[in-house]
């Protein structure tokens, strides 16, 4: 428990640092007043605006005001859309989260069994084929794969729609496309593209860990005392491969958000990624800063979760032993 | 039904290799009866563990049985399918591995591992299995078994873990138990308890036991009959007492003669033949002028290890690992430091050589002053040249990417001890001095055996002409016959070069052979420190006496 409290405290510090960087973006990339006003505004009017926006206060005061607002969900107003940034993120976030979740679940469902299988039967033909395919998954760029999928399934076969999010249904107050057939049809290809890289990485990691664990004494002892294969592989070996695998999945989860930028672009998916690209194009600094903080938050939370899962998996961490 | 529970006939095990097959076991015969403990002894690489693994059909890849039969109650199990073998494991044949630290799944409670095994092997529900598991745990001598069911392996001590391992191996009530070096990783006092437990299980359940070990003392203490192996072949067999007292084979005789004796300090370790003398003149150039007095003294040593901080701002609680009011080593003396694992003997050795900083107290060298005052780079360099270490594991203490001559030349060059042109000649002479051919320098460490590597480590320590040598368990990783050579070499070097030595070991017999004075450590405190012979002949402290009594001996009387 103390371990988790300490981690939580560290996470808060990390978030303050991320927020500071986000805030510095405001300070040093362009002059917000210049961006707000037109050509005809007089110097006096600009100074008044500067004063009313609090831009003449010391940096540290501005920083804490920014953090205080951010905690309450207020990230300012987007320059290019003239809307609350928080509102825009709330609009776009569900789309990205559902994409990331779908591809994450998809990759885990495929990677864990495939990783275990290739770890156990490493010489078999099927295992060799899976390993060869996983190299392709890791090395083919996701935009290329996306375009290929569109070509095959949308243009030639006309099975799946090539862009957009499709119908959405409201579940627990969120708009999601995961609960309508049309929505799922739209989400399938982007999620598949997004999951392929993760799939290759996690699969290879689980296989490597599995090979490692199967050589240990406690697995040999498990065989020697007559436990059936199912118990040895799934009960004893798999759990021992999990600590490094959970670490990797935590990091991968964060990178899914990063990769989603490209995938969303290819499939015209209305999520955070396309919002970011737009913000970069328009130098929309409040939006950029909010995105930065938001990504930082995702990384921090996923690492926090990873630490919590460690504690659940490994009693040696729980008891502070070596 | 035959008389024999298990009979091995002409067993041959082969490991295919691209440079030709390696035959690990050639035509091996043995048999085990119920209620009998049979020993299988040999040095590393003799193939003794391979036989145990072959019976279990758990040979490591790519090894396979290429000939012979293994009969279990007259039924050849070599011919069985994988599925049939899997059924025999645990139910008919149980196995215990060497290291109890690694044979249990670290992520599962002991109770879960045991009840899982029982429920699978005995075909009972998990609830019934849990009840049985508690009984089994108390049966192997684990106190408060029902509480300890919910603990994880890391919460058990080494001896307790090995008891758990035995309970696990016995979960399916097998008829044959193969124990592969079951006590090698344990302290002597615990070793005796575990061997007694195996003995009592064998008698109570009328079990056949194959005990694989490299330790003649374990054989003498536990087994009824013994098979001596070398290079995969059976060398000699017979009743244990007879083989140990009157071995008929030359190899067995040498093997037994090589075991250091705890009850006697033997001449052969003190006066081995001297090999070369030319290099000694160079080595003696750093000999101190004074030959008497203390080499080093230490006072009021305390060492605390902080346990890991659990919070960002918290302070970890301390753990007192060492408390030594005073200790000194005279010039030219060999001080032996013995104790069980965790007694702080290695920590004390490291503090005395300046490898570790004590929390309190001072270490002072007569030639260099107090360790805390040795601050300038030049002074440190001089101190380090005088104080050298030989580590326990000759496999990890040599840089595998450097050639042996580079390893030996580096310290000579660093300390500027010889002209550039001389170094090659010196390295060759050093290698010959420790009993290796002069051209060994052109090879890499991995091309040498464990004993040869330890010789390289000694040569490396000598290359800076030290006055003081810390030997931290220098022979623990070696076979007995090689251990004997190594001790003889160290003693000869000490005599020729007048080295002062601190000899750390858990093996009382080894310490007796080499030490002038012995300090016995327990839980970070020196409980007895006297002249070696006096201490071994008439120990004053109860703990020392207990250590001496529990140590396995090959010869009961002499």
């Amino acid at each position: 428990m103390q371990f988790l409290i300490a981690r939580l405290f560290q996470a808060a510090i990390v978030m303050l640092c991320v927020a500071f960087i986000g805030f510095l973006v405001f300070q040093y990339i362009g002059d917000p007043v210049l961006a707000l006003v037109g050509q005809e505004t007089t110097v006096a009017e600009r100074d008044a605006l500067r004063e009313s926006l609090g831009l003449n206060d010391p940096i540290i005061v501005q920083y804490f005001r920014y953090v205080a607002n951010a905690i309450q969900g207020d990230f300012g107003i987007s320059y290019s859309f003239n809307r609350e940034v928080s509102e825009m993120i709330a609009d776009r976030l569900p789309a990205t989260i559902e994409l990331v979740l779908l591809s994450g679940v998809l990759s885990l469902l495929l990677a864990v069994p495939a990783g275990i299988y290739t770890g156990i039967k490493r010489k078999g033909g099927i295992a060799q084929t899976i390993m060869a395919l996983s190299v392709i998954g890791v090395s083919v760029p996701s935009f290329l794969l996306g375009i290929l999928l569109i070509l095959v399934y949308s243009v030639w076969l006309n099975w799946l729609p090539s862009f957009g999010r499709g119908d959405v249904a409201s579940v627990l107050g969120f708009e999601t496309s995961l609960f309508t057939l049309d929505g799922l049809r739209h989400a399938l290809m982007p999620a598949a593209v997004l999951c392929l890289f993760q799939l290759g990485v996690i699969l290879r990691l689980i296989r490597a860990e599995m090979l490692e664990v199967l050589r240990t004494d406690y697995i040999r002892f498990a065989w020697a005392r007559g436990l059936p294969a199912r118990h040895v592989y799934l009960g004893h070996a798999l759990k021992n491969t999990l600590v490094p695998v959970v670490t990797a999945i935590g990091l991968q989860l964060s990178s899914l958000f990063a990769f989603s930028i490209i995938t969303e672009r290819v499939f015209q998916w209305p999520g955070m990624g396309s919002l970011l690209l737009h913000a970069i194009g328009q130098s929309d600094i409040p939006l950029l800063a909010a995105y930065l903080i938001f990504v930082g938050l995702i990384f921090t939370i996923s690492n926090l979760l990873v630490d919590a899962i460690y504690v659940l998996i490994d009693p040696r961490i729980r008891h502070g032993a070596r | 039904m035959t008389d024999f529970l298990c009979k091995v006939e002409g067993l041959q095990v082969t490991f295919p290799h691209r440079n030709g097959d390696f035959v690990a076991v050639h035509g091996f015969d043995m048999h085990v009866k119920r209620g009998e403990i049979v020993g299988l002894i040999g040095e590393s690489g003799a193939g003794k563990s391979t036989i145990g693994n072959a019976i279990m059909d758990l040979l490591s890849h790519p090894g396979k049985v290429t000939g012979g039969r293994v009969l279990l109650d007259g039924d050849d199990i070599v011919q069985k399918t994988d599925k049939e073998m899997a059924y025999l494991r645990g139910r008919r044949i149980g196995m215990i591995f060497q290291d109890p630290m690694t044979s249990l799944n670290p992520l599962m409670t002991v109770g879960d591992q045991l009840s899982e095994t029982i429920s699978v092997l005995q075909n009972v529900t998990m609830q019934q299995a849990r009840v049985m598991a508690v009984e089994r745990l108390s049966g192997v001598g684990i106190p408060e078994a029902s509480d300890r069911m919910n603990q994880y392996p890391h919460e058990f001590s080494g001896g307790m873990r090995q008891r758990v391992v035995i309970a696990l191996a016995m979960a399916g009530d097998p008829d044959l138990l193969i124990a592969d070096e079951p006590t090698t990783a344990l302290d002597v006092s615990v070793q005796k308890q575990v061997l007694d437990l195996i003995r009592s299980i064998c008698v109570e359940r009328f079990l056949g036991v194959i005990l694989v070990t490299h330790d003649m003392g374990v054989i003498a203490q536990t087994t009824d009959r013994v098979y001596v192996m070398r290079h995969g072949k059976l060398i000699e067999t017979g009743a244990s007492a007879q083989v140990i007292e009157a071995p008929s084979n030359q190899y067995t005789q040498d093997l037994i003669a090589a075991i250091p004796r705890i009850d006697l300090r033997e001449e052969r370790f003190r006066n081995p033949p001297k090999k070369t003398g030319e290099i000694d003149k160079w080595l003696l150039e750093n000999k101190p002028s004074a030959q008497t007095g203390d080499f080093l003294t230490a006072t009021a040593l305390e060492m605390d290890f902080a346990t890991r901080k659990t919070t960002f701002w918290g302070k970890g609680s301390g753990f007192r690992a060492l408390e030594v009011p005073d200790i000194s080593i005279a010039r030219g003396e060999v001080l032996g430091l013995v104790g069980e694992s965790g007694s702080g003997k290695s920590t004390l050795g490291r503090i005395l050589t300046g490898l570790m900083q004590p929390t309190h107290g001072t270490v002072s060298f007569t030639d260099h002053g107090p360790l805390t005052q040795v601050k300038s780079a030049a002074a440190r360099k001089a101190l380090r040249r005088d104080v050298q270490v030989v580590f326990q594991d000759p496999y990890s203490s040599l840089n595998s990417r450097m050639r042996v001559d580079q390893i030996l030349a580096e310290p000579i060059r660093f300390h500027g001890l010889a002209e550039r042109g001389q170094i090659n000649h010196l390295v060759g002479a050093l290698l010959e001095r420790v009993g290796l051919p002069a051209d060994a320098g052109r090879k890499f460490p991995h091309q040498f055996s464990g004993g040869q590597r330890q010789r390289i480590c000694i040569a490396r320590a000598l290359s800076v002409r030290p006055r003081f040598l810390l030997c931290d368990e220098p022979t623990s990783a070696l076979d007995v016959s090689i251990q004997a050579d190594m001790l003889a070499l160290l003693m000869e070097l000490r005599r020729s070069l007048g080295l002062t030595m601190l000899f750390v070991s858990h093996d009382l017999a080894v310490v007796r052979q080499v030490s002038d004075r012995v300090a016995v450590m327990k839980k970070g405190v020196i409980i007895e420190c006297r002249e070696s012979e006096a201490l071994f002949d008439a120990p004053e402290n109860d703990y020392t006496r207990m250590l001496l009594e529990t140590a396995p001996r090959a010869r009961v009387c002499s």
Side-chain angles (χ1 to χ4, degrees):
Chain A
M1 213 47 228
Q2 267 190 322
F3 172 81
L4 281 185
I5 293 169
R7 281 284 181 278
L8 210 61
F9 183 71
Q10 286 162 5
I13 292 176
V14 169
M15 278 318 296
L16 278 178
C17 294
V18 172
F20 187 65
I21 295 167
F23 168 74
L24 283 184
V25 170
F26 262 119
Q27 288 294 311
Y28 294 108
I29 302 180
D31 183 346
V33 173
L34 275 186
L36 277 173
V37 299
Q39 292 251 309
E40 317 70 61
T41 328
T42 64
V43 175
E45 280 171 328
R46 289 180 190 188
D47 285 343
L49 187 59
R50 215 175 276 279
E51 186 61 44
S52 72
L53 287 174
L55 293 177
N56 291 332
D57 293 339
I59 285 187
I60 196 82
V61 174
Q62 292 189 48
Y63 171 59
F64 278 110
R65 189 160 55 220
Y66 182 75
V67 170
N69 286 339
I71 287 173
Q72 292 159 27
D74 177 8
F75 290 94
I77 293 163
S78 159
Y79 295 164
S80 53
F81 291 96
N82 237 337
R83 281 177 65 197
E84 287 274 337
V85 169
S86 51
E87 214 174 277
M88 296 177 58
I89 287 182
D91 269 1
R92 297 295 192 102
L93 190 59
T96 295
I97 286 186
E98 72 186 25
L99 194 62
V100 166
L101 272 185
L102 189 63
S103 66
V105 168
L106 214 58
S107 58
L108 278 186
L109 280 182
L110 293 171
V112 173
I116 295 170
Y117 180 82
T118 50
I120 295 167
K121 304 236 183 257
R122 69 204 157 94
K123 290 271 162 71
I126 301 174
Q128 302 276 12
T129 315
I130 293 177
M131 291 313 290
L133 287 176
S134 81
V135 177
I136 298 175
V138 175
S139 44
V140 172
S142 58
F143 67 89
L144 184 65
L145 190 76
I147 292 168
L148 276 176
L149 284 182
I150 290 175
L151 185 66
V152 175
Y153 291 102
S154 304
V155 178
W156 291 349
L157 296 172
N158 207 13
W159 286 355
L160 294 168
S162 65
F163 66 90
R165 208 176 156 202
D167 295 343
V168 290
S170 187
V171 175
L172 299 171
F174 288 102
E175 299 276 300
T176 171
S177 57
L178 293 184
F179 292 91
T180 64
L181 191 63
D182 185 52
L184 274 176
R185 273 161 48 85
H186 278 88
L188 194 59
M189 276 204 294
V193 167
L194 204 48
C195 105
L196 204 76
F197 180 80
Q198 323 301 323
L199 180 65
V201 172
I202 296 172
L203 184 154
R204 294 185 146 256
L205 188 73
I206 291 182
R207 173 181 178 271
E209 283 300 318
M210 202 72 187
L211 289 177
E212 187 76 34
V213 168
L214 288 178
R215 274 199 296 269
T216 59
D217 282 354
Y218 53 86
I219 295 300
R220 288 191 63 212
F221 186 48
W223 288 123
R225 61 182 195 261
L227 291 181
R230 192 168 45 87
H231 287 241
V232 177
Y233 290 137
L234 300 183
H236 293 261
L238 182 60
K239 203 174 178 194
N240 277 286
T241 65
L242 283 184
V243 169
V245 171
V246 165
T247 314
I249 291 174
L251 291 173
Q252 293 292 326
L253 184 73
S254 322
S255 76
L256 272 177
F257 277 91
F259 273 98
S260 72
I261 297 171
I262 298 168
T263 311
E264 285 180 11
R265 182 76 173 174
V266 171
F267 290 95
Q268 298 291 308
W269 189 263
M272 295 281 296
S274 28
L275 190 65
L276 175 74
L277 289 178
H278 179 88
I280 293 171
Q282 301 292 319
S283 309
D284 196 336
I285 290 162
L287 202 52
L288 282 175
Y291 186 84
L292 185 71
I293 291 171
F294 172 76
V295 169
L297 186 68
I298 302 259
F299 268 80
T300 313
I301 289 175
S302 63
N303 278 311
L304 206 60
L305 282 178
V306 164
D307 283 337
I309 294 172
Y310 275 175
V311 176
L312 286 181
I313 296 175
D314 197 333
R316 287 167 294 185
I317 297 176
R318 206 147 61 222
H319 298 138
R322 284 172 293 151
Chain B
M1 273 286 257
T2 48
D3 290 348
F4 305 124
L5 169 65
C6 179
K7 189 165 192 201
V8 177
E9 289 175 348
L11 183 71
Q12 179 168 326
V13 179
T14 310
F15 286 81
H17 191 264
R18 58 192 153 90
N19 302 333
D21 294 354
F22 170 69
V23 182
V25 177
H26 306 258
F28 188 81
D29 295 308
M30 78 180 291
H31 62 84
V32 191
K33 286 184 252 181
R34 287 175 198 273
E36 173 183 62
I37 301 185
V38 168
L40 201 54
I41 192 168
E43 298 194 281
S44 49
K48 55 194 190 300
S49 291
T50 309
I51 289 177
N53 291 336
I55 295 174
M56 286 299 275
D57 191 26
L58 282 178
L59 286 169
S60 53
H61 185 82
K64 55 179 184 282
V65 176
T66 46
R69 302 195 295 168
V70 177
L71 303 173
L72 190 66
D73 279 334
D75 193 10
D76 187 4
I77 60 175
V78 172
Q79 303 301 328
K80 297 215 180 280
T81 63
D82 285 354
K83 216 172 168 182
E84 288 169 329
M85 262 326 284
Y87 188 81
L88 288 183
R89 277 185 225 123
R91 292 179 178 88
R92 295 298 312 279
I93 319 171
M95 191 162 183
I96 305 171
F97 291 100
Q98 173 172 354
D99 191 351
M101 298 294 167
T102 56
S103 12
L104 296 171
N105 183 347
L107 305 185
M108 263 170 94
T109 63
V110 163
D112 284 349
Q113 296 190 49
L114 188 53
S115 25
E116 176 197 22
T117 312
I118 291 175
S119 93
V120 168
L121 296 179
Q122 308 269 13
N123 252 325
V124 294
T125 64
M126 275 306 268
Q127 282 79 6
Q128 288 169 303
R130 277 198 86 81
V131 177
M132 289 169 75
V134 176
E135 285 166 21
R136 296 287 173 111
L137 278 184
S138 354
V140 292
I142 290 178
E144 286 143 30
S146 54
D147 292 339
R148 304 216 71 172
M149 288 278 285
N150 296 321
Q151 290 185 331
Y152 288 90
H154 69 264
E155 296 170 83
F156 285 71
S157 68
M160 284 295 154
R161 279 192 220 195
Q162 197 63 303
R163 284 170 192 271
V164 173
V165 168
I166 292 172
L168 277 165
M170 294 301 299
D173 298 316
D175 306 307
L176 177 66
L177 185 67
I178 301 170
D180 190 352
E181 304 265 9
T183 56
T184 306
L186 302 175
D187 285 326
V188 273
S189 58
V190 183
Q191 164 168 320
K192 186 168 186 309
Q193 297 164 10
V194 170
L195 290 175
D196 287 347
L197 175 66
I198 293 177
R199 172 99 253 179
S200 72
I201 289 176
C202 165
V203 173
E204 277 167 30
R205 307 211 189 174
F206 207 49
L207 196 75
V209 179
I210 299 175
L211 185 72
V212 177
T213 181
H214 69 281
D215 188 338
M216 201 55 99
V218 171
I219 293 286
Q221 208 171 44
T222 325
T223 60
D224 301 307
R225 283 187 304 115
V226 63
Y227 292 85
V228 184
M229 285 189 76
R230 189 190 193 192
H231 301 323
K233 292 192 182 101
L234 178 62
I235 294 286
E236 183 168 1
T237 179
S240 299
Q242 187 204 330
V243 170
I244 290 166
E245 290 302 322
S248 59
N249 183 282
Q250 183 62 44
Y251 173 72
T252 321
Q253 284 167 15
D254 292 346
L255 193 65
I256 290 169
I259 303 166
R261 296 176 61 164
I262 197 165
D263 52 351
L264 188 70
R265 183 167 172 140
E266 286 164 290
E267 284 301 315
R268 66 192 165 95
F269 289 116
R270 274 180 287 170
N271 297 310
K274 199 172 168 182
K275 280 162 189 154
T276 42
E278 177 222 355
I279 183 85
D280 285 17
K281 227 173 92 193
W282 181 78
L283 285 170
L284 285 170
E285 277 172 34
N286 187 35
K287 205 173 180 181
S289 43
Q291 284 302 307
T292 51
D294 286 336
F295 181 80
L296 71 82
T297 53
T299 45
L301 287 183
E302 282 175 16
M303 184 74 192
D304 292 334
F305 286 118
T307 52
R308 217 164 58 117
K309 291 196 299 180
T310 43
T311 52
F312 188 72
W313 53 85
K315 268 178 91 173
S317 53
F319 155 70
R320 176 63 50 90
L322 196 75
E323 202 170 339
V324 174
D326 68 296
I327 187 167
S328 61
I329 303 176
R331 280 186 202 276
E333 180 188 47
V334 178
L335 176 67
L337 207 51
V338 288
E340 299 193 283
S341 51
S343 61
K345 54 187 192 303
S346 286
T347 307
L348 182 57
R350 282 181 194 164
I351 288 174
L352 290 181
T353 44
L355 289 174
M356 227 182 220
Q357 283 277 337
T359 319
H360 297 290
T362 50
V363 176
S364 178
F365 291 86
T366 309
D367 300 336
H368 299 273
L371 210 51
T372 43
Q373 315 255 304
V374 181
K375 282 198 175 118
S376 69
R380 275 164 190 262
K381 203 168 157 180
L383 172 69
R384 285 172 187 171
R385 204 185 66 206
D386 276 359
V387 176
Q388 285 294 310
V389 188
V390 177
F391 292 98
Q392 170 171 4
D393 183 2
Y395 291 89
S396 58
S397 54
L398 292 171
N399 185 340
S400 55
R401 298 292 175 89
M402 279 168 83
R403 277 205 324 267
V404 170
D405 55 1
Q406 294 170 322
I407 290 173
L408 295 186
E410 190 180 39
I412 300 178
R413 210 175 301 131
F414 176 74
H415 289 284
L417 299 179
E419 305 281 325
R420 189 168 286 275
Q422 276 190 307
I423 290 179
N424 275 341
H425 176 69
L426 273 176
V427 165
L430 268 172
L431 285 168
E432 283 183 334
R433 184 70 182 82
V434 296
L436 291 169
D439 60 359
R442 287 203 297 272
K443 297 192 201 164
F444 284 93
H446 70 87
Q447 291 168 288
F448 294 92
S449 69
Q452 289 172 322
R453 283 179 192 223
Q454 201 60 299
R455 286 175 192 272
I456 296 169
C457 291
I458 293 172
R460 177 178 60 182
L462 289 179
S463 68
V464 297
R465 302 191 294 211
R467 293 171 183 179
F468 179 82
L469 214 53
L470 163 65
C471 298
D472 192 351
E473 303 263 11
T475 60
S476 303
L478 306 175
D479 282 328
V480 250
S481 57
I482 295 161
Q483 164 174 293
D485 295 345
M486 207 57 60
L487 293 178
L489 172 67
L490 280 172
M491 288 304 95
E492 186 269 315
L493 286 170
R494 176 241 173 163
R495 222 163 36 91
S496 312
L497 306 176
L499 288 173
T500 308
M501 278 169 58
L502 178 61
F503 195 97
V504 179
S505 179
H506 70 282
D507 188 332
L508 292 138
V510 166
V511 169
R512 176 161 202 173
Q513 304 312 320
V514 299
S515 309
D516 301 316
R517 211 150 52 91
V518 173
V520 182
M521 291 194 72
K522 183 194 183 187
K523 291 182 181 163
V525 181
I526 293 180
I527 55 166
E528 189 166 2
C529 180
R530 288 194 296 142
E531 294 299 308
S532 169
E533 290 301 284
L535 183 136
F536 277 98
D537 286 335
E540 280 169 4
N541 188 285
D542 286 343
Y543 179 72
T544 312
R545 203 169 299 127
M546 189 277 289
L547 277 185
L548 284 172
E549 278 163 9
T550 50
R553 317 163 176 234
R555 280 150 292 196
V556 182
C557 52
S558 60

